[in-house]
């Protein structure tokens, strides 16, 4: 090979993971991650039969933090020494664990796990909007705007806003209006998605910190914040001793759907890139619905399925790959 050839070869730009196609192992990891995260809705549905929401969330994050710190200790991973980083872990724990976990768990006392998973799939939509407002480098494009609008149209299909008169769930009792908690529950999941979106933007400051340390730090921070809240609101010492299915569900949601999911998440992030990782959002509702229908006897309305498909279409538009695929098919037919 000549020197010119070698220079031309070495001058080729490297392709980032997010720009590459997903290989077979990455697809397998993606599917497994969707089952792990989809399983959190399944485990929650079981544990809520005997545990109140705050106690369940506290058990989830505290046990997950314990598992993550044990792994960090065994692997002898170095820890950050800057106080601002540890304060950031606390904020991240509030935004990424405490608020969304509590809202989603509370909502599942009124709605099915599959519906909660569908509404939770709006997280990338809110992330795009928040990133557009809060950052200078991640602005909305026309394609992303169309995707966001499509995604929120799916939310409207699921929540049924157009079918309601005035305010949703409005009832009259002694000349006073009250909104039923069952009607508010879907919007609690949407609020959780907003919190996840804020966490996604805030979490960019931890690029220099080992991912598993960030995960352990945020679950520890959320445990510290949730402990007094769970003690005051739930008063767990007055609760009857939970049965074995509840303990197994708590162990599953902490070890499988939190600790193991975080580890796999960060491995997949490094392997496939952030944009490819967003594809897991398509798969989580499917996993949660299949688990809920198969093991919990849940049923979903036609509007739930239709809304999930519209949300998925919005995410596909944002992701851009289906459009590129269709263009490639069209070009191949013309040539």
């Amino acid at each position: 090979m000549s020197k010119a050839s070698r220079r031309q070869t070495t001058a080729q730009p490297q392709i980032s993971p997010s720009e590459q196609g997903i290989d077979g192992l990455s697809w397998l990891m993606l599917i497994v991650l969707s089952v792990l995260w989809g399983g959190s809705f399944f485990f929650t549905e079981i544990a809520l039969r005997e545990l109140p929401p705050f106690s369940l969330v506290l058990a989830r994050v505290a046990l997950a933090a314990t598992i993550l710190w044990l792994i960090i200790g065994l692997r002898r991973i170095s820890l950050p020494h800057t106080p601002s980083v540890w304060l950031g872990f606390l904020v991240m724990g509030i935004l990424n664990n405490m608020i969304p976990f509590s809202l989603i768990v509370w909502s599942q006392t009124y709605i099915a796990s599959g519906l909660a998973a569908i509404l939770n799939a709006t997280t990338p939509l809110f992330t795009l909007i928040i990133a557009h407002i809060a950052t200078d480098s991640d602005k909305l494009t026309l394609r992303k705007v169309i995707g966001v609008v499509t995604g929120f149209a799916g939310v409207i299909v699921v929540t049924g806003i157009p079918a309601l008169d005035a305010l949703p769930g409005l009832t009259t009792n002694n000349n006073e209006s009250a909104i039923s908690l069952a009607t508010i529950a879907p919007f609690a999941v949407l609020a959780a998605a907003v919190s996840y979106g804020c966490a996604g933007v805030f979490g960019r400051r931890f690029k220099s910190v080992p991912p598993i340390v960030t995960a352990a730090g945020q679950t520890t921070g959320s445990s510290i914040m949730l402990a007094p809240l769970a003690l005051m609101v739930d008063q767990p010492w007055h609760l009857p001793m939970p049965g074995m299915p509840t303990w197994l569900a708590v162990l599953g949601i902490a070890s499988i759907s939190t600790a193991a999911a975080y580890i796999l998440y960060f491995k997949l992030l490094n392997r496939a890139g952030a944009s490819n990782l967003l594809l897991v959002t398509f798969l989580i509702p499917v996993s949660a619905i299949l688990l809920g229908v198969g093991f919990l006897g849940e049923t979903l309305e036609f509007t739930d399925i239709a809304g999930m498909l519209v949300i998925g279409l919005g995410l596909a538009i944002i992701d851009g790959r289906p459009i590129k695929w269709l263009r490639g098919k069209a070009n191949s037919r013309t040539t």
Side-chain angles (χ1 to χ4, degrees), residues 43 46-47 49-51 240-252:
F43 290 130
I46 296 174
R49 296 170 182 173
E50 294 187 300
L51 289 178
M241 182 62 67
M244 184 57 65
T246 300
W247 287 114
L248 292 176
V250 171
L251 180 62

Side-chain angles (χ1 to χ4, degrees), residues 35-176:
V35 174
L36 296 183
W37 273 340
S40 67
F41 297 92
F42 169 74
F43 290 130
T44 295
E45 199 76 16
I46 296 174
L48 280 175
R49 296 170 182 173
E50 294 187 300
L51 289 178
F54 287 123
S55 295
L56 173 56
V57 175
L58 175 60
R60 174 181 182 176
V61 293
L63 185 54
T66 302
I67 295 171
L68 290 168
W69 283 121
L70 285 174
I71 296 173
I72 291 171
L74 292 173
R75 295 174 58 183
R76 298 182 179 179
I77 299 174
S78 59
L79 302 178
H81 301 287
T82 308
S84 60
V85 174
W86 291 94
L87 181 61
F89 288 161
L90 184 63
V91 176
M92 194 68 175
I94 295 173
L95 293 175
N96 208 33
N97 294 153
M98 178 180 173
I99 293 176
F101 286 1
S102 299
L103 288 174
I104 291 173
V105 168
W106 174 82
S107 73
Q108 284 192 244
T109 60
Y110 298 97
I111 62 177
S113 61
L115 177 56
I118 292 171
L119 294 170
N120 185 62
T122 60
T123 295
L125 307 180
F126 290 110
T127 303
L128 286 173
I129 295 173
I130 295 167
H132 176 79
I133 296 172
T135 67
D136 296 326
S137 58
D138 198 357
K139 296 299 183 181
L140 287 171
T141 62
L142 178 60
R143 174 171 56 81
K144 290 181 179 179
V145 170
I146 294 173
V148 168
V149 172
T150 303
F152 282 115
V155 173
I156 292 175
V157 173
V158 173
T159 56
I161 293 176
L164 301 175
D165 297 326
L167 293 175
L170 199 63
T171 58
T172 303
N173 184 18
N174 295 329
N175 296 325
E176 293 182 0

Side-chain angles (χ1 to χ4, degrees), residues 3-4 21 33 46 80 85 91 105 127-128 161 177-178 190 206-207 217 291 295 300 313 321:
K3 292 182 179 179
L33 181 59
I46 296 174
V85 174
V91 176
V105 168
T127 303
L128 286 173
I161 293 176
S177 298
L190 294 177
F206 300 113
K207 290 181 179 179
L291 288 170
F295 294 95
L300 291 177
L313 175 61
R321 262 164 297 206

Side-chain angles (χ1 to χ4, degrees), residues 204-267:
R204 297 179 183 184
R205 67 189 61 203
F206 300 113
K207 290 181 179 179
S208 60
V209 181
I212 192 172
V213 175
T214 303
Q218 71 174 21
T219 50
T220 301
S222 56
S223 299
I224 294 172
M225 298 296 294
L226 274 166
L229 186 61
L231 291 175
M232 287 188 297
V233 175
D234 294 341
Q235 298 183 354
W237 56 87
H238 291 311
L239 300 175
M241 182 62 67
M244 184 57 65
T246 300
W247 287 114
L248 292 176
V250 171
L251 180 62
I253 196 174
S255 61
I256 298 175
S257 298
T258 307
Y262 270 131
I263 295 172
L264 182 59
Y265 168 86
F266 289 120
K267 286 185 177 181

